Amino acid sequence: MTHEAAPESVTPRSPKAMPRAKRRKGTPVTTGPGMRAAIYVRLSRDTDESTSPERQRAACEAICEARGWEVVAVEEDIDVSGFSRGLERPGLQRILARLADLDVVVFFKIDRLARSTVDFAEIMQIAETQSVALASAQEPLDLTSSMGRAMARVIAVFAELESDTIGSRVSNAHEHLRREGRWTGGRVPYGYRVVPNPNGAGRVLEINPDEEKVVHGIVDRVLAKESLMKIATDLTKAGVVSPGHRSRQPNGKRSDSERWYTTTLRSLLTNPQLLGQVIEDGKPILRTDGLPLVTRPPILDMRTWHALQDELTRRSDRSERRREGTALLRGVLFCSLCSGRMYTYVAGGRTRYRCIGRLKQRQAGQDVDCYGPSVAAEALEAHVAKEFLRGIGHMPVVKIEKKVAEDFRPQIRQAEEALKDLEADRYERGLFKGEDGAHRYAAQYAKLEERLSSLKARQSDAAPGGVEEIPTGKTHAELWDDSDTAGRRDLLLNAGTFVEVAPAQRGGKKLDPSRISVYFGPEGFIRRAEAEGKDPESATLMLIDSDFN
């Protein structure tokens, strides 16, 4: 029998990483030598020595060296939360972007890679589709097997639970301190300053007298109908420190800019912290009765706050924007053909008023019955001013102040808003979960309803108020001379001025007075209400606040 020669012995070569093209998609790789590894390091805050970046990296490098893996990349996310940022972390994204060049991703522990089970499962799925293994330096898991991946998910669940527990403890501790009136850090609300707690440990907020004056000045100007743009410009010119400037913010988001903006003013004026309320995650913390918790002295009283919010809401309505920069007869001048308001435009360098009813009717698909008459602005304004001063210029201007002996409407409004917020917390934001949550929700809701019912009963029995006429000591003519365009327009509106423009009967450059009808007082209020499609009875309410009551 012939025997075949034995094959020559061959010295085995060191295994190399498998070519990516020959690897079946989704097939887990073996964790053998020669694999290309990327190390991922994450730390929420660079202060914990037990999981410091250096310790994490050293542990990951040790496992790579022990298994013969080649470290081709190291990515770090320092001061980055794995819970709040999810997968949107720069270092993690760089690793996920180059999975095609890797065989394994190494991390210190699963909670360094992901803080939620959903995020960990997504990372695992992305890695599996690229045939990339995951390896933990501290946990004895084989993530290339189904059992190992199942165990990893269990660990991720406990990591998420630990994160939630820590977050809940911190949140509860902060809320406890806030309910005691303590300051827990963050942006300092404008109008306040941080000082040592006079009654014990920690810090509290107290009113900053200088900033309080600024707030009251801003509120007075807003309620006097001044534009936010003008107020912001004046504050910047005066060198008043803006709310976000680093000179008054100890930490957090700060700015080097000393400019005030309209957005800055709106944010300041709509912040309920001006009422002394305690805010958490953008919402007031509630007491057990469902009303906002107040632990610091308020800068604004409730009546002023509601008047301010009503004014800001009015300004957000485009139909009510008729302040500075608009024409004298804006809101006063109407077309006799379609009863529509007339607006200014410039033609040949001159300003004219015209009706845009024709355009509106076409856009609405209606029959056009208005050709859009126009009239020269300068001549018309002079004519109306002359009629106004001739008719009521001699009359004294009397400020009407309504006196209410008892008024619980601000508290009623606050309770109603608290009820709405409570309902949103339960049914929209998903709070008050579980049986205990349902009991707490029902208790708060019952207390709020009881308070609202009590306030409405007290309001119904409130002593009737009256109307007090306070002389200003000036006539309409005197105030007209002292006012700018916006002030004069307010005089016209408050006097019930209604001006109607009829179509021109003949051509010519001069104003034809026969086209213009001017009304004041009760008749003007009623005609304006009818032209605007409002209930004529609303004119009665206008008269209460006018000089023709």
Side-chain angles (χ1 to χ4, degrees):
M1 177 180 292
T2 54
H3 296 276
E4 295 181 1
E8 298 179 1
S9 60
V10 180
T11 304
R13 298 179 180 178
S14 299
K16 294 184 178 179
M18 297 177 66
R20 301 299 291 174
K22 294 182 180 180
R23 207 176 280 170
R24 193 168 56 185
K25 187 176 182 180
T27 303
V29 298
T30 58
T31 55
M35 295 176 61
R36 292 163 294 185
I39 293 176
Y40 177 67
V41 174
R42 185 189 67 80
L43 195 64
S44 296
R45 292 187 178 180
D46 192 8
T47 56
D48 190 353
E49 295 183 359
S50 63
T51 56
S52 66
E54 293 76 16
R55 185 168 183 266
Q56 291 185 45
R57 182 167 180 170
C60 293
E61 290 175 343
I63 190 175
C64 290
E65 182 179 357
R67 298 187 183 184
W69 297 342
E70 179 187 359
V71 178
V72 297
V74 177
E75 297 292 350
E76 296 183 348
D77 282 320
I78 308 301
D79 287 333
V80 176
S81 170
F83 184 80
S84 61
R85 296 287 294 274
L87 269 61
E88 298 300 320
R89 293 170 258 156
L92 178 62
Q93 286 297 318
R94 287 192 291 269
I95 286 181
L96 296 179
R98 60 176 301 185
L99 287 179
D101 301 327
L102 302 174
D103 298 301
V104 61
V105 176
V106 185
F107 43 89
F108 185 66
K109 292 176 66 175
I110 287 179
D111 65 358
R112 298 300 90 198
L113 183 65
R115 271 296 197 180
S116 76
T117 310
V118 174
D119 289 345
F120 180 74
E122 185 173 352
I123 294 173
M124 185 181 296
Q125 184 179 12
I126 294 173
E128 287 179 356
T129 58
Q130 293 289 328
S131 301
V132 175
L134 301 177
S136 170
Q138 291 291 299
E139 295 147 338
L141 295 174
D142 178 10
L143 302 182
T144 63
S145 68
S146 58
M147 182 59 71
R149 290 191 293 273
M151 289 299 298
R153 287 190 175 94
V154 172
I155 293 177
V157 169
F158 282 99
E160 181 179 4
L161 178 61
E162 179 188 7
S163 176
D164 290 344
T165 303
I166 293 173
S168 179
R169 281 203 303 267
V170 173
S171 178
N172 290 339
H174 281 185
E175 182 171 347
H176 174 72
L177 292 176
R178 292 189 185 103
R179 288 187 181 278
E180 289 189 338
R182 302 259 293 275
W183 173 243
T184 59
R187 290 177 62 86
V188 180
Y190 194 83
Y192 293 92
R193 61 189 177 191
V194 182
V195 296
N197 183 8
N199 299 318
R203 299 173 299 167
V204 296
L205 290 180
E206 70 172 13
I207 290 179
N208 183 324
D210 295 334
E211 293 183 355
E212 182 187 25
K213 291 179 182 178
V214 174
V215 172
H216 282 294
I218 293 172
V219 171
D220 289 343
R221 295 179 66 176
V222 171
L223 295 180
K225 305 294 192 282
E226 288 195 48
S227 72
L228 296 183
M229 179 67 73
K230 179 67 164 57
I231 297 173
T233 301
D234 290 346
L235 290 172
T236 301
K237 288 182 178 178
V240 178
V241 176
S242 62
H245 194 265
R246 63 175 58 252
S247 64
R248 63 175 308 278
Q249 291 295 347
N251 48 44
K253 187 177 180 181
R254 298 177 294 177
S255 172
D256 291 323
S257 174
E258 296 182 355
R259 291 188 58 83
W260 285 73
Y261 301 91
T262 55
T263 53
T264 308
L265 287 173
R266 277 197 173 273
S267 177
L268 167 63
L269 299 176
T270 56
N271 191 340
Q273 293 191 92
L274 293 176
L275 295 171
Q277 296 181 9
V278 185
I279 306 300
E280 182 180 36
D281 296 331
K283 291 183 54 184
I285 293 179
L286 303 181
R287 304 184 318 205
T288 55
D289 60 2
L291 292 177
L293 175 68
V294 177
T295 61
R296 60 183 72 114
I299 294 178
L300 300 180
D301 60 78
M302 191 62 68
R303 185 184 297 276
T304 303
W305 168 261
H306 285 312
L308 177 63
Q309 303 314 305
D310 290 341
E311 172 62 20
L312 293 174
T313 301
R314 182 195 69 79
R315 295 185 184 206
S316 63
D317 183 356
R318 293 185 178 182
S319 65
E320 294 292 336
R321 294 178 185 171
R322 53 177 178 79
R323 291 304 305 159
E324 191 171 340
T326 59
L328 175 67
L329 302 181
R330 180 75 176 271
V332 174
L333 191 63
F334 292 81
C335 171
S336 67
L337 295 179
C338 66
S339 297
R341 284 188 180 186
M342 299 182 69
Y343 301 88
T344 55
Y345 74 105
V346 178
R350 295 186 177 182
T351 303
R352 298 181 65 85
Y353 287 94
R354 67 176 172 186
C355 174
I356 59 174
R358 179 186 181 91
L359 176 61
K360 289 184 176 180
Q361 290 172 346
R362 279 184 173 178
Q363 291 176 340
Q366 301 172 350
D367 293 335
V368 178
D369 58 4
C370 178
Y371 69 86
S374 69
V375 61
E378 184 177 359
L380 176 63
E381 290 174 353
H383 175 74
V384 172
K386 180 180 178 181
E387 291 295 310
F388 176 77
L389 295 175
R390 182 179 63 83
I392 63 173
H394 63 285
M395 296 176 59
V397 177
V398 178
K399 182 180 178 181
I400 305 300
E401 185 171 312
K402 289 173 284 187
K403 294 290 185 180
V404 181
E406 289 183 304
D407 187 6
F408 301 99
R409 287 174 295 179
Q411 294 94 321
I412 291 174
R413 179 170 173 175
Q414 184 186 33
E416 290 173 340
E417 291 174 351
L419 273 174
K420 290 181 180 179
D421 286 342
L422 193 62
E423 291 174 353
D425 283 343
R426 175 72 187 276
Y427 300 108
E428 295 179 18
R429 303 184 182 98
L431 305 181
F432 296 97
K433 295 179 180 178
E435 184 177 349
D436 180 61
H439 287 314
R440 288 189 291 109
Y441 172 80
Q444 286 194 20
Y445 202 93
K447 287 183 179 180
L448 269 177
E449 279 194 321
E450 182 181 356
R451 175 177 173 79
L452 182 59
S453 176
S454 173
L455 288 171
K456 287 183 176 180
R458 295 171 69 182
Q459 180 64 30
S460 64
D461 296 333
V467 176
E468 181 181 0
E469 297 184 359
I470 304 176
T472 63
K474 291 187 177 182
T475 63
H476 282 82
E478 291 172 333
L479 282 180
W480 183 274
D481 291 338
D482 295 339
S483 300
D484 58 7
T485 300
R488 291 178 176 181
R489 183 173 55 251
D490 283 341
L491 282 174
L492 292 174
L493 290 169
N494 292 336
T497 309
F498 176 83
V499 181
E500 194 172 61
V501 177
Q505 299 297 323
R506 61 179 184 273
K509 295 183 178 180
K510 292 185 178 181
L511 176 69
D512 179 7
S514 64
R515 297 178 58 194
I516 314 302
S517 300
V518 184
Y519 304 91
F520 304 108
E523 185 176 4
F525 278 118
I526 294 173
R527 286 178 177 270
R528 191 197 305 167
E530 291 176 341
E532 293 177 341
K534 298 178 180 178
D535 185 351
E537 290 185 3
S538 65
T540 305
L541 300 177
M542 298 179 192
L543 287 170
I544 294 177
D545 295 322
S546 73
D547 303 312
F548 294 90
N549 50 75

